[in-house]
Amino acid sequence: MIAYLLLGIVATVAIFSIRALRPAPKSEEEIAKFNAEVRRLTDKLREHALESIKVSISPDAPMDSFASKFGGYAAWPADKEYPTDKRSKPLALLAQINLQDLPENTILPRVGLVQFFIAVDSSWGLEYPSRKRTIDEIIADPRGYRVVFHPEMFEETVTVREKFNRVDLSSLPFEGERAVTFELERALCSPSDYRFDKVVSDLGVLDEDVIDAAWEVDSYGGCRIGGYATFTQDDPRMLKPTEDWLLLFQMDSVKEHGFDIMWGDVGVANFFIRPSDLAALNFDRVWYNWDCC
């Protein structure tokens, strides 16, 4: 009985403490000023919006081996070496983008197949810079991920499932495979993108509540090709501030049509590429990162 009484007292104290900490309601004038600041910020972000292709999960399975999809097995030519990790184990297909499926855009060419592979290990192929390997060495010689571009559709294929029966798909950030669809849009700069401060520099010091409210106005995250990137922690490109690295592909933690993608604790994965490499369709030096809360 005494225990229940004590619990009641604790609960009552907690309720009054929460009420005491709750900020007083804002006046109409304060609310109007706050909303004006949010509009000023979103207007500035729209001025600097970038072309981006939103990638959505379809309720359907891929139509064939060349379809754009998340997961499953990659379409692969018989005369090309399949990517492996540092233990010589085949990498798993994270995403496959058939460029013919994309809406008209200025990010990627109209023909070809881009595939994103990662290792199925405890870090999903992510390697952190260390004394043994710098970030430049990791990018030049990735051992836990790979991005492969096939400039033309190939007729002779191998069934990866049969030839590479060690490809482990059981521990990816999702289960199974699913077709994806695309939509061209203008993406706003997310507050976690390293360019955000530069984009809004002439607005002065911004209130965190204003930034949070602007975040709710438009979608910054999600799965996408091109545009600005989103992070749960810091933008790794701040490690190389003098270099220009574009977002090539982003896979966020999302759930659509029963297909659940989860990077750790609601994280997000990004692949970056230099403009010169993208223009040359050279995907050998791509920077991969993922983080979570």
Side-chain angles (χ1 to χ4, degrees):
M1 187 68 179
I2 295 176
Y4 285 112
L5 182 60
L6 290 173
L7 285 174
I9 293 173
V10 171
T12 302
V13 171
I15 290 172
F16 280 102
S17 298
I18 293 172
R19 289 177 178 174
L21 292 172
R22 187 177 298 163
K26 294 180 178 179
S27 66
E28 291 186 5
E29 182 180 352
E30 290 174 323
I31 293 173
K33 182 179 179 181
F34 178 83
N35 291 336
E37 287 297 299
V38 173
R39 286 194 298 271
R40 189 167 74 109
L41 174 54
T42 52
D43 287 345
K44 173 60 67 174
L45 294 177
R46 289 190 179 106
E47 290 177 12
H48 295 268
L50 296 178
E51 184 178 276
S52 183
I53 301 172
K54 182 180 179 182
V55 185
S56 300
I57 300 169
S58 168
D60 304 317
M63 293 289 291
D64 54 54
S65 60
F66 290 93
S68 297
K69 61 181 181 177
F70 288 166
Y73 291 90
W76 199 258
D79 59 349
K80 192 167 186 175
E81 184 178 356
Y82 189 86
T84 57
D85 65 12
K86 60 183 179 182
R87 300 164 297 175
S88 298
K89 289 187 176 181
L91 300 179
L93 178 69
L94 183 69
Q96 177 172 281
I97 308 297
N98 189 325
L99 302 185
Q100 293 180 333
D101 296 337
L102 299 181
E104 186 173 347
N105 68 92
T106 61
I107 304 171
L108 291 170
R110 296 295 300 149
V111 179
L113 199 67
V114 181
Q115 298 166 327
F116 299 84
F117 297 90
I118 62 172
V120 183
D121 56 25
S122 59
S123 62
W124 285 319
L126 180 63
E127 181 181 356
Y128 296 99
S130 65
R131 292 181 180 179
K132 293 182 179 180
R133 296 239 299 167
T134 66
I135 187 62
D136 288 321
E137 290 172 328
I138 293 171
I139 294 171
D141 179 27
R143 298 175 182 175
Y145 70 95
R146 204 86 78 250
V147 178
V148 178
F149 175 60
H150 306 275
E152 298 178 351
M153 294 296 102
F154 37 88
E155 294 184 4
E156 187 177 13
T157 64
V158 297
T159 302
V160 177
R161 184 196 301 268
E162 297 174 356
K163 187 170 183 180
F164 303 103
N165 55 16
R166 291 182 298 155
V167 177
D168 182 10
L169 304 181
S170 63
S171 300
L172 286 171
F174 51 78
E175 294 182 4
E177 68 174 334
R178 193 66 69 84
V180 293
T181 60
F182 305 99
E183 179 184 357
L184 190 68
E185 62 180 20
R186 301 286 292 176
L188 304 189
C189 183
S190 103
S192 57
D193 190 293
Y194 80 109
R195 291 164 288 187
F196 182 81
D197 289 342
K198 184 177 180 180
V199 167
V200 302
S201 60
D202 60 341
L203 296 183
V205 179
L206 295 170
D207 187 280
E208 289 295 330
D209 289 338
V210 171
I211 296 176
D212 290 341
W215 181 283
E216 298 297 328
V217 172
D218 284 89
S219 174
Y220 297 90
C223 302
R224 63 181 61 254
I225 298 167
Y228 292 102
T230 303
F231 309 90
T232 58
Q233 297 187 32
D234 297 323
D235 189 334
R237 292 174 293 179
M238 290 190 293
L239 296 174
K240 302 174 77 64
T242 61
E243 298 182 13
D244 191 8
W245 288 88
L246 305 176
L247 177 65
L248 176 61
F249 172 61
Q250 173 172 288
M251 180 182 281
D252 206 346
S253 290
V254 296
K255 185 175 183 179
E256 296 178 282
H257 303 293
F259 193 81
D260 192 1
I261 302 175
M262 183 61 65
W263 291 89
D265 186 8
V266 197
V268 58
N270 315 94
F271 292 83
F272 305 106
I273 191 170
R274 289 172 173 169
S276 57
D277 286 332
L278 182 57
L281 299 179
N282 177 13
F283 296 86
D284 293 335
R285 291 178 55 85
V286 172
W287 186 354
Y288 162 64
N289 178 78
W290 75 269
D291 63 19
C292 64
C293 298

